[in-house]
């Protein structure tokens, strides 16, 4: 079967690897040193919500997990729905708590995956900003197990493609970068990336 797959150009899909998220703090150091982008402390997870009690229960468990530290001054997670009908959970931390933010994003993905809702997961985003006010999201594609940068021009629904390519080349040693540029989808309106 391997020969026929090679002959017809078929490849096996990349499997999700949530542990790739733990590479983000290292990538953040590289970003800061080379480009001046700093973490904002914001990160979000996008998923396609499904109807039914089981999904509602898991979503409730995830929110309770992330809100567990609110009694000690933590900020509650924010839930929203975008114009396309996708659900978002936004986690907030201080910019110097990037490892904690990554742990939260990993926990959301893991909980949904463990309860059989992995196919509903779309992406996770960790937000950065530079001194010029430019916005950068490191987008983790759940179904591909890869990252790509999305650089939004300030105040516009327009991307800075040259900067995205520069950052993807810069982070190749820190993160598994998505090689198929057609999968670098814009995520307009993503919580945490807006001005």
């Amino acid at each position: 079967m391997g020969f026929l797959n090679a002959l017809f150009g078929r490849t096996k899909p990349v499997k999700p690897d949530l542990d790739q998220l733990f590479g983000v703090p290292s990538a953040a150091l590289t970003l800061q040193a080379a480009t001046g982008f700093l973490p904002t402390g914001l990160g979000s997870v996008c998923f396609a919500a499904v109807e039914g009690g089981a999904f509602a229960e898991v979503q409730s468990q995830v929110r309770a997990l992330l809100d567990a530290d609110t009694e000690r001054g933590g900020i509650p997670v924010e839930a929203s729905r975008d114009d396309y009908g996708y659900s978002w959970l936004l986690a907030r931390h201080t910019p110097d708590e990037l490892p904690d933010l990554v742990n939260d994003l990993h926990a959301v993905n893991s909980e949904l995956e463990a309860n059989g809702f992995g196919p509903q997961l779309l992406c996770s985003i960790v937000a950065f900003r530079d001194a010029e006010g430019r916005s950068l999201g490191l987008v983790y594609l759940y179904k591909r197990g890869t990252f790509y940068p999305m650089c939004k021009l300030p105040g516009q629904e327009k991307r800075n493609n040259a900067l995205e390519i520069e950052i993807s080349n810069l982070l190749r040693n820190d993160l598994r970068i998505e090689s198929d540029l057609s999968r670098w989808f814009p995520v307009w309106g993503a919580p945490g990336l807006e001005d």
Side-chain angles (χ1 to χ4, degrees):
M1 257 337 231
F3 173 73
L4 289 177
N5 286 338
L7 182 66
F8 292 112
R10 292 181 283 209
T11 58
K12 289 183 180 178
V14 178
K15 292 191 177 187
D17 180 4
L18 290 175
D19 288 346
Q20 292 294 318
L21 287 168
F22 294 123
V24 171
S26 171
L29 294 174
T30 302
L31 269 175
Q32 181 178 356
T35 65
F37 275 98
L38 297 170
T40 63
L42 303 175
S44 53
V45 176
C46 181
F47 54 93
V50 294
E51 298 298 322
F55 188 79
E57 177 64 28
V58 170
Q59 197 172 4
S60 175
Q61 289 171 1
V62 166
R63 289 192 70 173
L65 175 70
L66 294 182
D67 288 343
D69 68 342
T70 54
E71 292 175 4
R72 296 184 309 257
I75 301 169
V77 67
E78 296 172 29
S80 63
R81 192 172 282 248
D82 66 20
D83 294 340
Y84 302 100
Y86 293 108
S87 295
W88 291 86
L89 288 178
L90 174 67
R92 294 178 182 270
H93 287 270
T94 62
D96 62 330
E97 295 177 327
L98 184 58
D100 294 332
L101 176 65
V102 169
N103 284 339
D104 282 355
L105 299 179
H106 188 277
V108 171
N109 282 278
S110 296
E111 191 69 23
L112 288 169
E113 183 181 66
N115 285 282
F117 296 106
Q120 275 66 44
L121 285 164
L122 300 175
C123 68
S124 297
I125 302 174
V126 178
F128 295 81
R129 192 170 299 277
D130 70 1
E132 297 172 35
R134 295 182 299 182
S135 173
L136 162 69
L138 288 181
V139 182
Y140 174 75
L141 294 171
Y142 174 80
K143 291 175 177 67
R144 304 277 297 168
T146 57
F147 288 86
Y148 68 90
M150 181 179 156
C151 302
K152 182 177 179 286
L153 293 171
Q156 302 178 50
E157 203 168 272
K158 207 170 195 185
R159 294 169 69 177
N160 185 336
N161 299 112
L163 184 58
E164 290 176 353
I165 296 296
E166 177 188 333
I167 287 174
S168 70
N169 290 330
L170 178 68
L171 297 181
R172 287 198 186 280
N173 292 329
D174 295 297
L175 301 173
R176 187 185 299 160
I177 299 296
E178 176 57 54
S179 59
D180 183 353
L181 298 183
S182 70
R183 295 186 183 271
W184 290 25
F185 304 108
V187 282
W188 306 126
L193 284 184
E194 289 308 296
D195 298 329

